């Protein structure tokens, strides 16, 4: 059973850093696309970063470009999102979504994509 779990959320002051991990399990390793989404309180969900593990071509939303870095870990089943220079507007529930058969790894998945989601982790940035 394929599973995804997020860890590393928490509460920090504005300007601080957090490292979010997306750990997958339940499949024999193959290159995959991992997307990270967030949903601020009372707002719609948005994609913030994606990475295809077979290619060094991460993608970022404009709102996080230059502050967030997504990369595959030495544990190839895990991906980390390093979040620096955090702002109050980064406050949100953060979710990881694993796509095992990606047609592409754009921030927005193709409609109908079968992906596996974690339960989310809360990131709170205090001003």
């Amino acid at each position: 059973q394929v599973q995804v779990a997020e860890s590393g959320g928490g509460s920090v002051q504005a300007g601080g850093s957090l490292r979010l991990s997306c750990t997958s399990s339940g499949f024999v390793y193959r290159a995959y696309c991992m997307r990270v989404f967030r949903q601020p309180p009372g707002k719609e969900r948005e994609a913030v970063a994606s990475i295809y593990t077979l290619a060094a071509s991460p993608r970022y939303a404009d709102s996080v470009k230059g502050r967030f870095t997504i990369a595959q870990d030495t544990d190839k089943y895990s991906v980390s999102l390093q979040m620096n220079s955090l702002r109050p507007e980064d406050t949100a529930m953060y979710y990881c979504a694993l796509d095992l058969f990606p047609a592409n790894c754009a921030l927005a998945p193709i409609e109908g994509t079968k992906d596996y989601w974690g339960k989310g982790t809360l990131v709170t940035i205090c001003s």
Side-chain angles (χ1 to χ4, degrees), residues 38-94:
R38 69 184 181 187
Q39 186 163 19
K43 296 185 179 180
E44 292 189 354
R45 186 176 67 198
E46 61 173 343
V48 296
S50 66
I51 185 169
Y52 182 46
T53 58
L54 196 58
S57 56
R59 293 171 177 163
Y60 301 96
D62 288 343
S63 58
V64 306
K65 209 169 286 184
R67 302 187 297 122
F68 290 13
T69 303
I70 191 169
Q72 188 177 24
D73 292 341
T74 50
D75 172 0
K76 58 188 179 182
Y77 288 89
S78 293
V79 163
S80 290
L81 181 69
Q82 179 66 39
M83 304 183 289
N84 298 328
S85 301
L86 285 162
R87 304 167 180 168
E89 55 264 38
D90 294 318
T91 294
M93 279 294 288
Y94 283 70

Side-chain angles (χ1 to χ4, degrees), residues 8-18 41 83 86-94 121-127:
S11 180
V12 297
Q13 293 288 322
S17 299
L18 284 172
M83 304 183 289
L86 285 162
R87 304 167 180 168
E89 55 264 38
D90 294 318
T91 294
M93 279 294 288
Y94 283 70
T121 187
L122 181 62
V123 171
T124 303
I125 312 304
C126 306
S127 57

